[in-house]
Amino acid sequence: MEEIKSYVAKNQQRFLDELFVLLRIPSVSADPKHAPDILKTADAVKEKLIAAGAEKVEIMSTGGNPIVYGEKIVDPKLPTILVYGHYDVQPADPIELWTSPPFEPVIKDGKIYARGACDDKGQMFMHVKAFELMMKTGTLACNIKFMIEGEEEVGSSNLGPFIRKHKDKLKADVILISDTSIIANDVPSITVGLRGLTYVEVEVTGPNIDLHSGVYGGAVANPINVLCKMIASMHDENNHITIPGFYDKVVELSKEERTEMDKAPFDLNTYKKNLEIGDVRGEKGYNTRERTSIRPTLDVNGIWGGYTGEGAKTVLPSKAFAKISMRLVPNQVSEEITVMFQKYFESIAPASVKVVVRPHHGGSPVVVPTDTISYKAASKAMEQSFGKKPIPAREGGSIPIVALFEEVLGLKSILMGFGLDSDAIHSPNEHYGVFNYLKGIETIPLFYKYFAEYSKK
Ligand code: BES
Ligand code: MN
Ligand code: MN
């Protein structure tokens, strides 16, 4: 531990500088305009892996953005850890709300501000630096394989085929991922659940062209009005989702499990204050933490149509659109939920409009068992670096590929993230604590140490 601490202390400025180089490249996977930046970032990750001591480092092409692979096999008899992360980021919009430019990282109040600072360049790069540390100090106790992808933020659609094709190359004992959060810097936690996802786009068409809202208004259905009503009707007065069959496969937690969950500290007033909201809202019968982890949701992510430019234009639009996501919990099946949504959406559409539902990506929910040596190793590592035993906690976000890793590679993942819910990932002014970044670099080598140790027994 002392050796780790002193290596991190000596190199922390360089660790930050190197991360900043990655953060300066706008590797936005959602926008084709950034394709060259995606390649540039993959290349930079490759160079960093080589410099840290990885072998067989290569940029592997897929049907989409490339995957960076690298490995260090110390001894085939030792256990192997497969590190997964992503180098792509979300778009920076709305750009005008950033207090400093999203791709010009700066440190303010001990936090690194930049798109991707936490999700996931900062967290992914902790693994590269921890690997360097283990190489330099001669303490690498497990074999290591890196698989860093560039399409996580757009659904990882090429990663499934990739892992199927490279099953042998990716053979390992466990997958290690830092792309999640801890409860607080003084309340370490390990993520033991992620929600699944179903994402759809809907289109509602009224008249065949935009009409004068005075000449036709009142007699012809306005697709925006209709869409809003349809969306509103998808929750009842208790904020339950009204799609028939939606909850059929939802696993209810036992009283004991919910009591256990409640032991993690949470302050509703601080939560409301931080978000500047007068009150929370959600499904009746569940508290805020449950609503964001063990319960499914339906949310509109964007809605548009008609006139949204300067001033006023009197128009009855022909079309309205919305992007809708549903977060899923065990044992809901993404494809089944998509079909239920589609059928229901079509069934509630009045005859005055036509509707189309276009499915986007999806993913399965995940539960990580705590009775494995990998969980115990993560717990011990965090306990040592934070000075406090971590709490197992389920989270609301999704990393759809985790379920596929289990299905295709037969491997469990350890979700040992170091972010905070308040890091504004996907939002303006995303940031990542310097404390968290360095704490991650300190903790990861301990995971290797304990995983190797526990594997022997
Ligand atoms: N790192 C996040 C997921 C996450 C964040 C999990 C915080 C737990 C806590 C990941 O990059 C992400 O944003 N995933 C997407 C899903 C994807 C299919 C676009 C998400 O959750 O919206
Ligand atoms: Mn992420
Ligand atoms: Mn993300």
Side-chain angles (χ1 to χ4, degrees):
M1 184 73 206
E2 282 322 305
E3 190 176 23
I4 295 173
K5 271 197 179 312
S6 87
Y7 190 90
V8 173
K10 256 187 233 142
N11 293 282
Q12 60 167 307
Q13 189 55 50
R14 181 174 54 85
F15 287 172
L16 287 165
D17 293 343
E18 290 179 12
L19 173 60
F20 276 31
V21 173
L22 289 182
L23 293 174
R24 285 193 190 102
I25 319 171
S27 50
V28 179
S29 48
D31 187 349
K33 168 175 114 230
H34 287 292
D37 297 311
I38 286 279
L39 301 182
K40 225 170 124 181
T41 312
D43 217 53
V45 173
K46 175 187 160 190
E47 290 311 318
K48 287 297 163 199
L49 282 174
I50 293 172
E55 291 163 2
K56 298 193 180 162
V57 183
E58 55 178 316
I59 294 185
M60 301 179 73
S61 50
T62 67
N65 297 338
I67 290 168
V68 189
Y69 179 86
E71 62 176 46
K72 178 71 193 180
I73 307 298
V74 189
D75 178 346
K77 287 199 269 320
L78 289 174
T80 302
I81 292 166
L82 176 58
V83 175
Y84 164 82
H86 61 96
Y87 64 80
D88 65 319
V89 299
Q90 287 275 327
D93 321 52
I95 211 128
E96 65 280 6
L97 296 183
W98 285 75
T99 52
S100 57
F103 299 105
E104 293 172 29
V106 285
I107 295 178
K108 285 179 277 189
D109 304 326
K111 296 171 194 117
I112 308 157
Y113 281 80
R115 172 55 87 231
C118 173
D119 184 14
D120 180 44
K121 284 174 176 166
Q123 297 215 60
M124 172 273 286
F125 201 60
M126 299 180 316
H127 287 269
V128 181
K129 293 298 98 180
F131 169 57
E132 173 201 303
L133 181 156
M134 293 185 280
M135 290 295 284
K136 284 276 156 62
T137 54
T139 53
L140 184 60
C142 302
N143 301 314
I144 182 167
K145 294 180 177 176
F146 284 93
M147 173 174 56
I148 313 297
E149 72 146 322
E151 294 186 311
E152 198 278 339
E153 298 293 7
V154 288
S156 302
S157 57
N158 293 290
L159 193 56
F162 179 88
I163 60 174
R164 284 202 170 85
K165 189 167 158 197
H166 297 287
K167 259 184 173 173
D168 270 345
K169 195 182 181 74
L170 301 173
K171 264 208 175 102
D173 294 282
V174 69
I175 297 178
L176 181 60
I177 305 175
S178 296
D179 196 19
T180 52
S181 310
I182 50 175
I183 293 173
N185 283 350
D186 57 356
V187 188
S189 56
I190 298 175
T191 304
V192 291
L194 291 169
R195 287 194 283 193
L197 186 71
T198 293
Y199 203 108
V200 298
E201 191 170 317
V202 297
E203 179 182 320
V204 178
T205 308
N208 54 0
I209 49 165
D210 285 7
L211 301 171
H212 189 290
S213 65
V215 176
Y216 289 94
V220 175
N222 179 322
I224 301 182
N225 294 14
V226 172
L227 175 58
C228 289
K229 199 163 175 182
M230 287 171 77
I231 289 168
S233 78
M234 295 185 127
H235 285 99
D236 69 13
E237 66 284 2
N238 293 323
N239 283 319
H240 290 297
I241 294 155
T242 53
I243 301 172
F246 189 82
Y247 291 97
D248 284 0
K249 291 195 175 172
V250 170
V251 177
E252 293 283 344
L253 265 65
S254 68
K255 226 179 166 168
E256 292 71 35
E257 287 170 306
R258 289 175 70 183
T259 311
E260 197 52 41
M261 257 185 91
D262 248 359
K263 287 185 184 156
F266 178 77
D267 183 55
L268 189 59
N269 279 327
T270 315
Y271 187 85
K272 291 195 280 194
K273 215 170 121 210
N274 287 343
L275 299 175
E276 296 181 29
I277 50 174
D279 204 355
V280 291
R281 73 154 279 294
E283 192 182 356
K284 194 173 171 189
Y286 298 91
N287 65 33
T288 295
R289 214 206 317 264
E290 291 171 337
R291 288 168 179 169
T292 60
S293 61
I294 59 164
R295 299 300 296 168
T297 63
L298 182 150
D299 274 298
V300 179
N301 296 257
I303 182 163
W304 69 102
Y307 183 71
T308 55
E310 284 293 311
K313 178 187 179 195
T314 47
V315 62
L316 195 163
S318 165
K319 283 179 187 293
F321 303 84
K323 291 183 193 276
I324 298 174
S325 68
M326 285 151 273
R327 296 281 170 175
L328 312 180
V329 299
N331 292 324
Q332 289 176 297
V333 179
S334 181
E335 292 79 6
E336 293 176 5
I337 297 290
T338 307
V339 173
M340 284 177 202
F341 176 92
Q342 183 154 9
K343 276 202 186 132
Y344 185 58
F345 197 77
E346 286 165 2
S347 78
I348 59 173
S352 51
V353 298
K354 293 192 258 318
V355 299
V356 183
V357 176
R358 296 189 184 93
H360 277 265
H361 49 260
S364 304
V366 176
V367 180
V368 179
T370 55
D371 59 353
T372 58
I373 60 167
S374 52
Y375 184 87
K376 286 176 188 132
S379 179
K380 181 82 185 167
M382 282 186 119
E383 180 175 357
Q384 198 173 340
S385 68
F386 282 88
K388 232 182 195 178
K389 197 177 159 116
I391 303 171
R394 285 169 63 161
E395 284 200 80
S398 310
I399 310 178
I401 199 68
V402 173
L404 269 183
F405 285 151
E406 182 157 357
E407 192 189 311
V408 177
L409 302 174
L411 292 179
K412 296 270 180 218
S413 294
I414 284 294
L415 302 167
M416 193 170 73
F418 295 87
L420 294 174
D421 283 351
S422 54
D423 284 344
I425 62 172
H426 295 205
S427 303
N429 302 309
E430 174 177 354
H431 52 272
Y432 190 37
V434 174
F435 168 87
N436 304 69
Y437 179 56
L438 299 175
K439 191 56 88 184
I441 301 173
E442 272 175 35
T443 308
I444 293 162
L446 295 169
F447 175 80
Y448 283 66
K449 177 181 165 204
Y450 292 116
F451 189 67
E453 211 174 293
Y454 299 166
S455 296
K456 273 186 217 151
K457 286 177 197 155

